[in-house]
Amino acid sequence: MKKTIIELKELTKYYGKTRGIENISLRLSQGEIFGLIGENGAGKSTTIRTIMHLLNKTSGQVLINNKEFVKTDISIKESIGYLPSEICLYCDLTVKQMLNYHASFFKKSTNTRRRKLVKLLKLDETKKIEDLSLGNLKKLGIVLAFMHQPQILILDEPTSGLDPIMQNVFYELIKEEKQKGTTILYSTHILNEVSKICDRVGIIKDGRLIKVETVEDLTKQNLGIVTITSVEIERIIKELKVEVIYKNETTVKFKNNLSHQDLLEKLTTYKIDKILIEDMNLEDMFLHYARRDDNV
């Protein structure tokens, strides 16, 4: 059994009476890439910022290596590489000056790793931060997060602003970190990223973690999309009590959780002109859980 590196225990953040996140409990193992996905405003960034003590939690605990992470614990902070979704740095510094400043916070040398990352990401150290494009600013943020070779990476929307070529470079970098045993918490709304690199995924909705599953098991669940053309659309919907995605007078598209055999047996009593049965992809699966009621 792999060692637990990060543990969240009923982590809760309220803004006055407004809920940010509530009772988020989760364990991340050594070498695991965990994808946190959800719609805008679902609580992804609030979860990350609360973990990082950029927001004061209302209640709950964050444990790193079985030790509670408090704001003043420098040793734990040194073990984390953090990439925020929005990067705000000293605009009057050059990239080189910013990297030098960041390196000064660590006792160990970061020079070798820094040089490799700068070369890999094709980052110009002579440019001023205020002159960087969004993509180059994100690349600088990646170097800052990775250069001290942290045990933990916490990444909030890390590929936003990167072009497709650089996104693929970043994915390979993430895979290398996993092989080293780095534990990675990865927040994103880009679902194909999750299927490419994550081991497990957590779906967050309205500040609550509603589903945690391996990517493989999530996509293997017996869920599918069925499209039927028939003159008996209304009867099919009423009698099968299907969850309709779309319908018109002759066609209905709905979610199916029956086996194909059971579904076809039920449909034999209807006049069917056309039928299409598709497995849910990860995006369909996300929408299925994100849009259902919390008590379903």
Side-chain angles (χ1 to χ4, degrees):
M1 186 175 180
K2 289 187 176 180
K3 179 183 178 183
T4 297
I5 301 298
I6 302 174
E7 183 174 5
L8 310 183
K9 291 186 175 181
E10 298 184 347
L11 190 62
T12 298
K13 170 63 182 177
Y14 270 78
Y15 303 93
K17 294 183 179 180
T18 303
R19 180 179 65 210
I21 55 172
E22 188 171 62
N23 295 331
I24 302 289
S25 295
L26 182 66
R27 289 186 177 187
L28 275 65
S29 300
Q30 185 174 18
E32 177 179 18
I33 304 176
F34 186 91
L36 188 63
I37 62 175
E39 298 172 325
N40 290 335
K44 302 186 302 296
S45 291
T46 298
T47 300
I48 284 176
R49 290 170 184 165
T50 305
I51 292 171
M52 293 299 301
H53 291 290
L54 299 174
L55 294 173
N56 293 323
K57 67 179 183 291
T58 302
S59 61
Q61 288 182 299
V62 178
L63 304 179
I64 305 293
N65 289 316
N66 207 33
K67 178 184 178 184
E68 185 167 9
F69 181 21
V70 296
K71 188 181 292 188
T72 56
D73 196 325
I74 301 300
S75 63
I76 289 181
K77 288 182 178 180
E78 288 179 341
S79 71
I80 298 173
Y82 172 54
L83 178 64
S85 56
E86 297 179 3
I87 301 171
C88 298
L89 300 170
Y90 300 107
C91 291
D92 58 334
L93 297 182
T94 64
V95 169
K96 183 176 182 179
Q97 288 170 332
M98 186 67 234
L99 292 173
N100 288 342
Y101 178 64
H102 186 68
S104 70
F105 289 99
F106 302 97
K107 296 176 182 177
K108 64 182 180 181
S109 174
T110 61
N111 290 337
T112 301
R113 181 62 169 159
R114 166 182 161 177
R115 285 195 298 269
K116 288 181 178 178
L117 289 167
V118 166
K119 183 178 180 181
L120 178 69
L121 297 173
K122 299 179 180 179
L123 189 61
D124 185 350
E125 291 193 48
T126 65
K127 282 193 172 183
K128 273 198 167 185
I129 290 172
E130 64 184 357
D131 296 328
L132 294 180
S133 65
L134 178 60
N136 282 320
L137 187 61
K138 182 55 66 78
K139 289 193 283 186
L140 175 55
I142 292 169
V143 177
L144 292 171
F146 285 65
M147 63 187 277
H148 60 291
Q149 302 187 70
Q151 180 191 23
I152 297 165
L153 285 167
I154 297 180
L155 312 173
D156 195 356
E157 301 287 354
T159 61
S160 63
L162 297 181
D163 63 53
I165 293 174
M166 199 52 63
Q167 285 180 16
N168 287 328
V169 171
F170 179 75
Y171 297 148
E172 291 304 313
L173 181 60
I174 287 289
K175 291 174 184 176
E176 288 176 11
E177 289 296 323
K178 174 182 169 61
Q179 291 175 353
K180 294 177 185 176
T182 307
T183 300
I184 302 170
L185 176 58
Y186 192 110
S187 166
T188 184
H189 68 279
I190 304 173
L191 298 182
N192 68 353
E193 288 189 345
V194 174
S195 59
K196 282 181 180 178
I197 64 172
C198 292
D199 302 300
R200 286 193 301 154
V201 61
I203 299 173
I204 191 166
K205 177 187 177 185
D206 297 331
R208 295 190 177 100
L209 200 58
I210 61 171
K211 185 74 174 177
V212 176
E213 193 68 87
T214 66
V215 172
E216 183 179 7
D217 287 346
L218 191 63
T219 53
K220 280 185 176 179
Q221 291 185 32
N222 191 30
L223 294 171
I225 303 290
V226 179
T227 304
I228 291 174
T229 301
S230 170
V231 294
E232 298 184 284
I233 290 300
E234 295 301 330
R235 182 182 162 210
I236 291 171
I237 294 171
K238 182 179 179 180
E239 294 180 1
L240 296 187
K241 299 178 180 179
V242 298
E243 186 176 349
V244 176
I245 298 172
Y246 164 84
K247 83 176 183 75
N248 59 27
E249 292 182 357
T250 59
T251 303
V252 61
K253 185 176 183 179
F254 60 90
K255 295 174 185 175
N256 171 57
N257 58 3
L258 299 172
S259 69
H260 290 174
Q261 182 176 346
D262 289 343
L263 174 67
L264 291 173
E265 286 178 359
K266 288 180 180 292
L267 292 176
T268 55
T269 59
Y270 306 104
K271 296 176 182 177
I272 304 294
D273 296 318
K274 292 181 182 178
I275 182 169
L276 173 65
I277 301 175
E278 304 170 277
D279 291 330
M280 276 193 183
N281 58 31
L282 187 60
E283 184 172 359
D284 295 326
M285 200 71 66
F286 165 70
L287 293 173
H288 170 75
Y289 287 107
R291 291 178 177 174
R292 67 197 297 193
D293 291 336
D294 289 339
N295 60 354
V296 173

